[in-house]
Amino acid sequence: MNTLVGTGKLVRLILRRDRWVLPLWILWLILIPVSLASAYQEQFPTAADRAEYARTAGTNPTFLALYGPLHDTSVGGIVAQRIGAIPLFIALISVLIVIRHTRTEEQAGRRELLSAAVCGRHAGLAAALAVTMVANLVVGLFVGLGLRAELPASGSLAVGLGFAAVGCVFAAVGGLAAQFTENAGSARGIAIGGIGAFFLIRLAADTGGEDSGLTWLNWLSPLGWVTEMRAFADERWWIALLFAVCTVLVTLVAVLVSSRRDIGGGLLAARLGPPDAPSWLGSPLGLAWRLHRTLLAGWLVTFAVLGAVFGGIAEGIGDLMKDNENLKDVFARMGGQQGLIDSYIASMMSLVGLVAAAYGIQAALKLRSEEEATRAEYLLTTTGRTPWVLSHLVFALLGPTAGLAVAGVSAGLVHGANSGDIGGQTPPILGAAMVQLPAVWVLSGLALALFALLPRMTAAAWGALGLCGILGQFGRALEFDQKLLDISPFTHVPQVPGNDLTLGPILALLAIAAAFIATGLVRTRHRDISAA
C-alpha cells in the first residue's frame, strides 16, 4: 500500500480540529508586522529620526539580543529589525502543531486505529507537515503583501519569505522530534530545546554587533538565516535555497526514522523500570515526581543558560548608553525607570517570566495528557481526584518557582562576577526574577481551570501565553490601549530593580491565580474524568 494513502483525508481532519486555532495564529502573525510598519512610518518620519534610532538601537546589546541587527536605516530596515522576534514565535507554533497531530495522536492510540483503515504509514506525518507548511506560506504571502502597502516591494517580499521559510524548517524539526520518543511531552521538549539552542546561537552572533567576530554563528541557526536575508538592505535571495534544502533534508530524515520504528514507539526506546517499584511511587505525589522530573531538569538547565546569557550582557549596557538620552527613554518605556542596567534586567526578567509560564502551563496540562491516555482512570481507582490534581499542581507552581530562582541566581552571579560585586548584584536580580512568579501562577491556574471546565480547549492556555508575549513585546510599539495591555498579568508585575516594590498588584495577581486554582480543583471533583 502507498505510504501516503489517506493523507488528504487526514489534512481535512486536521483543518476541522484546528478550525479556530489556525486562523487565529495566522491572523496575528500577519497583523503584528503590518501594524508595526504603519506605526513606524509615523514615529520615524524624517531621515534624522531614523539615523538617531540607528545610532542607538543599532549598537544596543539588548535590542540586538531581542530583535537582531539593524541592516538599514530606512523605515523598512527598522521594521525588519523590530519584528525580529516573530520568527521565534513562528518556530514554536510550527513545532507544536506538528507534534500535536503526530506524536500526540500516536500516544493517544488514535493513530493505530487509523492505521487499521486505508491509511498509509507516513500519511499522518505528511498531513501535519502539509497543513503547517501551507499555513506558514499563507503567513509569508500576506505579510509580504501587507508590508508592500507601506514599504518597498523587495524588502517586503524578503520579510514574508523569511517568515514562511523559517516556519517550514521548524515544522520539519517538529516532525523529526516526534519520531524520537513515545511521549508527546518529551517530543515537545526536544523540539523546544532545539529552538532554544538555535536562538542562543543567534543571540551570541548578534549581541556583540558586526565587530564582535561572532556573526558567522548566524549560519549555524535557521533563526540567524532570517536576519542574514537582510530585508530592505542588500537582500540575499539565495538564502531561501538554504531554507529549502534544510527543510527537505530534515523532512527526509523524519520519514526515514518513521519508517524504521513501530507505530506508537520511538527511536529512543523507553527504558524498562526496575522489577519492584520504590515505596515513594505509591503516592500521587511520588508518581507525579516520576512523570515530571526529567522535564523539570531540562527546563532548569534552560533557565540557568538564559540567566547566564542575560547576566553576561548586562555589564555593557551602561557604557554603551550612558551618554544617550533617547535610548534611556526607550529603556524606561520597556521596564524600570531608574538606571539603565536596572531597566535592562527588568525587561529581560519579564522574558524569563514568559518562559517560566510556558513550563507552568506544560506541567498543569500533564493532567490532560494523562486523562487522554486513559491512565488517569486506572490511577483514580486507588486515589482521590483532589490528591491527583494537587500532585501535578505542585509542579505547575513550584517548578516555575525553581526555574525563576535558578535564572535569577545565574544572572546575578554572572553579572556580579563581571562587575566585581556578586553579593551586591545577585539579590536584586534574584528579586527581579521572583517578582514574575504571581503572573506565572495566573497562567498555570488558567491552564488548570481550562482542564476542569473546558478540557477540549486546554490549548487556549498556550494562546493566552502567546497573547501575553505579543502584548509585552509589541503592545507599546503599536500604541495599544492600556486596557488591552492590562489583559496580560505581566503588565502588572512591578518593574524591579529600579522601582519600588508595590504589593497591591502582586496580591491582586495572587488572588486571581488562587481563584483559577480553586475553580479547577472544585470543578474537577464534579465532572467525568474522561470527558472530552
Side-chain angles (χ1 to χ4, degrees):
M1 182 174 67
N2 190 331
T3 58
L4 296 179
V5 168
T7 299
K9 293 181 179 179
L10 290 180
V11 166
R12 291 194 292 273
L13 177 62
I14 292 172
L15 294 175
R16 173 70 175 80
R17 293 181 61 192
D18 288 353
R19 63 188 180 278
W20 299 112
V21 176
L22 270 176
L24 283 176
W25 78 257
I26 288 173
L27 183 62
W28 75 255
L29 286 174
I30 294 171
L31 288 179
I32 292 296
V34 172
S35 300
L36 279 173
S38 178
Y40 286 152
Q41 287 278 24
E42 299 178 3
Q43 291 182 28
F44 304 102
T46 67
D49 293 328
R50 296 190 291 273
E52 179 61 20
Y53 176 88
R55 189 172 68 85
T56 56
T59 58
N60 166 21
T62 304
F63 275 42
L64 293 174
L66 290 176
Y67 309 121
L70 179 69
H71 293 301
D72 189 76
T73 58
S74 64
V75 173
I78 295 174
V79 171
Q81 185 199 32
R82 291 303 296 270
I83 60 177
I86 293 181
L88 182 63
F89 287 98
I90 293 175
L92 286 168
I93 292 169
S94 296
V95 301
L96 291 175
I97 289 179
V98 171
I99 291 173
R100 163 179 160 81
H101 293 291
T102 52
R103 176 51 61 183
T104 301
E105 293 296 288
E106 290 193 44
Q107 185 179 345
R110 290 187 288 268
R111 178 70 180 85
E112 190 171 5
L113 291 175
L114 288 172
S115 297
V118 183
C119 183
R121 182 179 185 86
H122 302 312
L125 176 61
L129 290 176
V131 170
T132 309
M133 289 182 181
V134 169
N136 280 302
L137 292 173
V138 170
V139 169
L141 174 63
F142 282 96
V143 165
L145 292 175
L147 292 178
R148 176 65 184 87
E150 301 277 352
L151 303 170
S154 61
S156 301
L157 177 60
V159 171
L161 183 60
F163 281 14
V166 78
C168 290
V169 167
F170 281 101
V173 169
L176 179 59
Q179 312 305 318
F180 282 108
T181 70
E182 298 178 2
N183 183 273
S186 299
R188 284 189 288 267
I190 291 171
I192 293 173
I195 292 173
F198 285 130
F199 173 73
L200 289 176
I201 291 172
R202 205 266 315 152
L203 185 148
D206 292 335
T207 299
E210 302 250 343
D211 299 327
S212 67
L214 296 176
T215 54
W216 61 271
L217 288 173
N218 266 331
W219 299 108
L220 304 180
S221 168
L223 295 174
W225 300 347
V226 179
T227 62
E228 289 297 335
M229 288 192 75
R230 297 178 179 266
F232 301 104
D234 230 352
E235 288 91 359
R236 297 171 171 175
W237 300 106
W238 61 268
I239 293 179
L241 181 61
L242 188 61
F243 277 112
V245 170
C246 183
T247 301
V248 171
L249 289 178
V250 176
T251 301
L252 289 176
V253 173
V255 171
L256 179 63
V257 175
S258 176
S259 65
R260 293 176 177 270
R261 66 174 181 84
D262 294 330
I263 293 176
L267 184 65
L268 305 176
R271 291 186 305 168
L272 294 177
D276 298 314
S279 58
W280 52 265
L281 273 179
S283 67
L285 184 59
L287 179 59
W289 164 250
R290 176 65 180 82
L291 294 173
H292 286 272
R293 63 184 182 183
T294 303
L295 183 64
L296 177 59
W299 277 97
L300 290 179
V301 171
T302 300
F303 283 112
V305 173
L306 282 177
V309 170
F310 291 147
I313 296 172
E315 181 62 21
I317 296 296
D319 294 336
L320 284 171
M321 298 180 289
K322 61 185 179 183
D323 298 323
N324 194 311
E325 294 298 326
N326 289 337
L327 199 55
K328 291 180 183 179
D329 293 339
V330 171
F331 265 80
R333 290 195 296 270
M334 288 180 64
Q337 299 176 5
Q338 299 177 11
L340 297 176
I341 294 178
D342 287 348
S343 180
Y344 163 79
I345 291 170
S347 58
M348 291 301 99
M349 287 305 158
S350 68
L351 293 179
V352 175
L354 288 171
V355 177
Y359 170 73
I361 291 171
Q362 187 175 16
L365 295 185
K366 185 66 174 176
L367 291 162
R368 181 58 178 165
S369 64
E370 291 294 292
E371 183 181 53
E372 287 183 318
T374 70
R375 291 188 290 267
E377 287 189 70
Y378 298 114
L379 180 63
L380 291 176
T381 61
T382 61
T383 189
R385 296 186 182 192
T386 299
W388 173 61
V389 174
L390 287 174
S391 67
H392 290 277
L393 184 62
V394 165
F395 292 91
L397 299 180
L398 297 187
T401 305
L404 288 171
V406 168
V409 170
S410 176
L413 290 175
V414 173
H415 178 48
N418 288 338
S419 61
D421 185 19
I422 293 178
Q425 296 296 334
T426 302
I429 294 178
L430 176 60
M434 300 310 295
V435 80
Q436 310 294 325
L437 195 55
V440 172
W441 282 353
V442 167
L443 292 180
S444 296
L446 174 63
L448 177 62
L450 287 170
F451 163 73
L453 296 170
L454 300 167
R456 286 186 177 182
M457 299 295 292
T458 51
W462 294 108
L465 177 63
L467 179 62
C468 291
I470 294 168
L471 294 176
Q473 291 298 307
F474 306 107
R476 297 192 185 280
L478 293 173
E479 300 181 346
F480 286 165
D481 186 87
Q482 186 61 42
K483 292 181 179 178
L484 180 59
L485 296 177
D486 287 342
I487 293 175
S488 170
F490 292 94
T491 302
H492 307 281
V493 172
Q495 299 296 310
V496 294
N499 283 319
D500 294 332
L501 179 63
T502 53
L503 293 179
I506 292 177
L507 294 176
L509 291 173
L510 290 174
I512 294 171
F516 280 142
I517 291 169
T519 300
L521 289 172
V522 171
R523 180 64 185 118
T524 302
R525 294 175 59 187
H526 295 91
R527 78 163 174 89
D528 181 0
I529 202 62
S530 61

